[in-house]
Amino acid sequence: MTDSTQTLPVPEAVGKLYDRLTLTALNDGTFNPNIHIGFWDTPDSTATLEEAVDRLTDVLIERLLVDDSAHVLDLGCGVGGPGIRVARETGARVTGISISQEQVKTANRLAAEAGLADRAEFRHADAMKLPFEDGTFDAVMALESIIHMPDREQVLTEVARVLRPGGRLVLTDVFERAPRKAVTHPSIEKFCRNFMVTLADADDYVAMLHRAGLRLRGLLDITEHTMQRTFTELARPTAGAERPEALGQTNLPDLFRPSDMVGVDEFGCLLVAAVRP
Ligand SMILES: C[S@@+](CC[C@H](N)C(=O)[O-])C[C@H]1O[C@@H](n2cnc3c(N)ncnc32)[C@H](O)[C@@H]1O
């Protein structure tokens, strides 16, 4: 369930945002194969943002429990960084989908360049209506993608349908850490508006998984490992993310910059694992 006061993302518009972001990054030399936050194991970890971003993919891999016999769906695959890493680290076959055509093109190119085109393949599709038969996948990963989808419960119902019995789902999501205030922090509100994101209702997550036909295997608030450090790193001038055009925002009256989120510790991240019974 999503707070009814939040504006629901429109998949086609989200696709255009990521088309823009991909082309800008390819043109200005800031391209990164991963589009998600970092994970630092300890507060004094010296890992760079780049290392921490891969570490978050590895945190997901540890929970996916797949090997080279598995077929994994990467739901909202970005430009393929995480999916290619899963294919390389586990030997699993990965099919990724994104609502952005430019991302799909780039992800397939990166898979070919990595010599993994036979194990990692990307296509354009909307997660709200997956173009796969029932029970196709052994596991589904959704790294920072359900945040853009207009109906979490519908997406999870689709995930349950395409998973085989016993198949696992691992995802990350964003939420406002309790106690939820009457007025959302203006930086969170701006982030959600500019990047077409809604906040999950953390209190309803377990019930929502049940309604979708999934059973909880783990639900962790990983905010302390991820959010503040990521925004602090991105706010450094050398990261280049403070530039208005860097994050794909155009024609917006009030641009979001990573420094807006420094110190806003109510913006939280959840790591969720579930299984299809
Ligand atoms: C923040 S990016 C994360 C990308 C990737 N998981 C990563 O970690 O690098 C969000 C991704 O979700 C995808 N996405 C958002 N809404 C979608 C939808 N309705 N169907 C398919 N993909 C969607 C976007 O196209 C984008 O690839």
Side-chain angles (χ1 to χ4, degrees):
M1 198 173 14
T2 301
D3 182 337
S4 57
T5 59
Q6 302 186 89
T7 307
L8 296 183
V10 176
E12 291 71 24
V14 173
K16 296 245 171 335
L17 169 72
Y18 280 105
D19 281 350
R20 224 164 39 232
L21 200 71
T22 307
L23 293 173
T24 304
L26 286 170
N27 287 333
D28 72 6
T30 58
F31 178 78
N32 193 312
N34 297 291
I35 312 171
H36 60 255
I37 54 177
F39 185 100
W40 288 264
D41 285 280
T42 57
D44 58 359
S45 162
T46 55
T48 62
L49 177 60
E50 209 165 296
E51 289 163 346
V53 160
D54 278 337
R55 175 72 188 120
L56 181 57
T57 305
D58 292 344
V59 166
L60 260 77
I61 290 175
E62 286 160 13
R63 286 159 179 79
L64 278 174
L65 308 180
V66 293
D67 60 21
D68 60 5
S69 66
H71 188 188
V72 177
L73 172 64
D74 183 1
L75 192 83
C77 60
V79 287
I84 291 168
R85 191 169 178 87
V86 169
R88 190 169 46 229
E89 304 283 310
T90 69
R93 184 172 142 225
V94 174
T95 298
I97 63 143
S98 168
I99 196 72
S100 156
Q101 302 270 14
E102 293 298 333
Q103 286 192 326
V104 169
K105 262 195 261 170
T106 305
N108 280 320
R109 176 173 59 75
L110 293 186
E113 284 170 10
L116 285 166
D118 57 331
R119 304 209 70 72
E121 189 194 338
F122 302 92
R123 58 192 271 192
H124 180 256
D126 186 349
M128 300 289 289
K129 200 172 181 312
L130 291 171
F132 304 110
E133 301 286 313
D134 298 1
T136 301
F137 297 99
D138 300 294
V140 176
M141 60 187 270
L143 191 36
E144 229 169 278
S145 57
I146 201 166
I147 65 174
H148 293 296
M149 297 174 190
D151 184 340
R152 284 174 170 80
E153 191 171 323
Q154 183 181 329
V155 175
L156 294 173
T157 304
E158 277 293 86
V159 166
R161 182 183 68 73
V162 301
L163 272 175
R164 65 158 169 80
R168 287 173 74 87
L169 163 70
V170 184
L171 64 80
T172 62
D173 205 342
V174 291
F175 75 112
E176 196 174 355
R177 293 164 100 194
R180 189 106 189 240
K181 303 195 180 68
V183 178
T184 301
H185 189 288
S187 296
I188 301 178
E189 212 264 317
K190 181 161 51 166
F191 179 91
C192 290
R193 190 180 58 239
N194 288 15
F195 299 118
M196 305 175 199
V197 166
T198 61
L199 301 168
D201 179 351
D203 295 335
D204 185 49
Y205 231 102
V206 181
M208 178 171 65
L209 288 166
H210 266 251
R211 291 194 298 272
L214 297 163
R215 299 292 173 264
L216 182 75
R217 283 296 174 266
L219 189 144
L220 263 181
D221 178 347
I222 58 167
T223 309
E224 310 273 279
H225 293 277
T226 54
M227 295 299 240
Q228 278 306 300
R229 185 97 180 249
T230 297
F231 285 113
T232 303
E233 295 291 331
L234 285 174
R236 293 188 202 290
T238 44
E242 292 279 288
R243 290 176 302 116
E245 68 281 16
L247 300 172
Q249 306 166 90
T250 52
N251 302 324
L252 291 172
D254 190 12
L255 295 176
F256 173 85
R257 291 182 171 81
S259 54
D260 294 335
M261 207 64 93
V262 174
V264 185
D265 78 345
E266 53 266 59
F267 192 36
C269 182
L270 287 177
L271 175 65
V272 180
V275 66
R276 186 195 153 186

